[in-house]
Amino acid sequence: MKHIRNFCIIAHIDHGKSTLADRLLDFTGSVTDREKQEQLLDSMDLERERGITIKSHAIQMDYEYEGEKYVLNLIDTPGHVDFSYEVSRSIAACEGALLIVDAAQSIQAQTISNLYLALEHDLEIIPVLNKVDLPSANPEVVSDDIVDLLGCDHDDIIPASAKTGLGIEEILKAIITRVPPPSGKIDAPLRALIFDSVYNPFRGVETYFRVINGSIKKGQNIKFVATNKNYFADEVGTLRLKQFPRKEIKTGDVGYLITGIKDAREVKVGDTITDAKNPTTEAVAGFEDVKPMVFAGIYPVDTEDYEELRSSMEKLQLNDASLVFVPESSAALGFGFRCGFLGMLHLEIIQERLEREFDMTVITTVPNVSYHAYTNKNPDDLILVNNPSDLPEPSSLNRVEEPFIKATIITKADYVGNVMSLCIEKRGEITNQVYLTPERVELSFDMPLAEIVFDFYDRLKTVSRGYASFDYSPIGMRQSKLVKVDVLLNGNIVDALSALLHVDNAYDIGKKMCEKLKELIPRQQFDIPIQAAIGSKIIARETVKALRKDVTAKCYGGDISRKRKLLEKQKKGKKRMRQVGNVEIPQEAFMAVLKLND
């Protein structure tokens, strides 16, 4: 056990985690020249296209140091705030973390939030100053920032460049000398933590685990504590670039397990694996449930694909435990699911993965957050509103509370005014302003979560020219004046486009929604009125004009009453058509509502 080291890599987006992981694999000889490629651990096409890490990836390396052989288990983690749940899972399986800071960009919001996650789990932190070879790098100043943040010595910081391979040997030496070996009892009953799983269509669910006590052998009878079900360990092994089957995985090591489970619901991330005959008395603690921030409906384009969508979502949930979903139905879209996501990027990624990995074409409704409503009849009884259509009638409503967050934004001093005006426009209240250096400012705001769901992150990047980093944490519910804005097409409410909005913004947003829909809804044979309404009061209206045939073309000259008669006849036909006509809403219309400011 004393020759095993488990560590993860944490950093802000784009500070070079995946590139550093590539260099560590090269240096330890874990990959052959044929297997080498950029972003080696990012196995999804989506990750390569966007240049971001979405999933944590575990891999094992062998390294010889001072004549002794060591086994290093590395878990590469995502940097985006929407995937912080992945990071918390990886941290639970490690004893140490490489904290990577970009020498040009210095410490960003996500660096700090991931660092706190690691410190909560008592991980040994090794600070690495990456990209020191860049012409814009400022290693002295950034080193001082790291010392202030961590309270470490200047000598503890390892200067490195993942691109050129500088400092890689020092990093490996630091991992072996500074990160403590795993602690655990080899002779105790088996106790292992599941930190990830993936669905293989041929072999069922593959479970990734970290052994805390005891050992797991091939052919052993095992039990999952949360579901209380017994299985047979068909295959256990370690995770190299490919899977390496082994006879036994011992205490402190990380590996994979195949039991032939076909039902995705039987494996829960964070569950404990133990021996069926001699079970452990205590499950692994300290593993938190995911708290979704944004809710949206996902519906199959064809209602017959509902069951197929359900099984696709279950398989996807295995691989991404932060996805939460429950069935729901909508008058406009039929049967589908109400899904909880960690943020807008997460929603986008899930939608793309459903299309790519499972060939499911889906419609996504307008995202919203979850509210608490109270009625006049029972002012103490809480009604959870995940969908605007669940909101009680305005006449019986006592009050509505919405979730607030504490937003931390780190930006350059030049952009403070722009960032402040954006946050105030989004109903934010500034609570703190700290100058980290004369150039960089940390701003703290209390803001409603609903305001950042839509386009906040994109607009923040725009007003700060890409120099602002953003992180948030929930701070509870607060009372707000909210109203439900409905969109009516041809006099019928489209429940999938309803939104709960603050009174002050309702009129503007209702007007913009109508204008946007007017551009996107194709013209029909009859006039289509598009209206935004609060209760029974119409606050905005646009009309998509009818396509019409020139019925008077055959009348040349003659009396006006002849033309009148033909036009009246056409008008009657259009009126009847409007009563029976059905308006199809294109998928772009649902997504366009999110980008009202473009």
Side-chain angles (χ1 to χ4, degrees), residues 489-490 521-529 543-548 570-571 573-584:
L489 275 189
N490 204 7
I521 288 175
R523 288 171 72 185
Q524 310 278 349
Q525 295 284 349
F526 52 92
D527 279 5
I528 308 170
T543 308
V544 178
K545 284 292 177 198
L547 292 165
R548 45 196 292 252
Q570 184 188 33
K571 197 168 156 188
K574 296 261 183 239
K575 193 174 172 187
R576 194 163 71 246
M577 211 184 287
R578 191 177 139 188
Q579 285 165 353
V580 296
N582 222 340
V583 184
E584 285 286 312

Side-chain angles (χ1 to χ4, degrees), residues 354-427:
L354 279 170
E355 285 182 16
R356 286 186 188 205
E357 294 171 30
F358 302 100
D359 289 331
M360 295 295 311
T361 325
V362 293
I363 292 175
T364 314
T365 64
V366 182
N368 64 337
V369 298
S370 131
Y371 300 90
H372 290 175
Y374 298 87
T375 55
N376 289 323
K377 201 172 174 187
N378 304 321
D380 298 332
D381 282 4
L382 180 149
I383 301 168
L384 195 65
V385 180
N386 280 338
N387 198 337
S389 53
D390 302 341
L391 193 73
E393 281 298 306
S395 53
S396 65
L397 203 57
N398 181 308
R399 64 187 191 280
V400 181
E401 293 177 351
E402 63 176 331
F404 266 67
I405 54 153
K406 178 183 167 45
T408 308
I409 298 168
I410 297 179
T411 184
K412 282 194 163 181
D414 313 356
Y415 305 116
V416 169
N418 298 355
V419 172
M420 275 194 184
S421 53
L422 170 67
C423 292
I424 289 162
E425 180 197 326
K426 295 280 188 185
R427 298 195 283 135

Side-chain angles (χ1 to χ4, degrees), residues 332-350:
L333 300 168
F335 288 105
F337 295 97
R338 184 103 201 131
C339 307
F341 305 96
L342 296 179
M344 286 303 288
L345 178 71
H346 190 208
L347 161 67
E348 225 174 291
I349 296 289
I350 292 288

Side-chain angles (χ1 to χ4, degrees), residues 25 57 92 141 175 211 309 324 327 338 415 474 592:
L25 292 171
H57 299 273
V141 175
I175 290 165
V211 183
L309 178 63
V324 183
R338 184 103 201 131
Y415 305 116

Side-chain angles (χ1 to χ4, degrees), residues 75-122:
I75 303 179
D76 179 24
T77 63
H80 198 283
V81 57
D82 280 13
F83 304 112
S84 52
Y85 186 66
E86 284 285 326
V87 182
S88 72
R89 290 163 41 186
S90 309
I91 284 172
C94 295
E95 278 83 32
L98 294 179
L99 178 75
I100 296 181
V101 179
D102 187 323
Q105 295 181 16
S106 188
I107 292 164
Q108 305 277 317
Q110 206 53 35
T111 319
I112 297 172
S113 98
N114 285 345
L115 170 68
Y116 286 152
L117 271 176
L119 290 173
E120 274 171 28
H121 285 78
D122 292 336

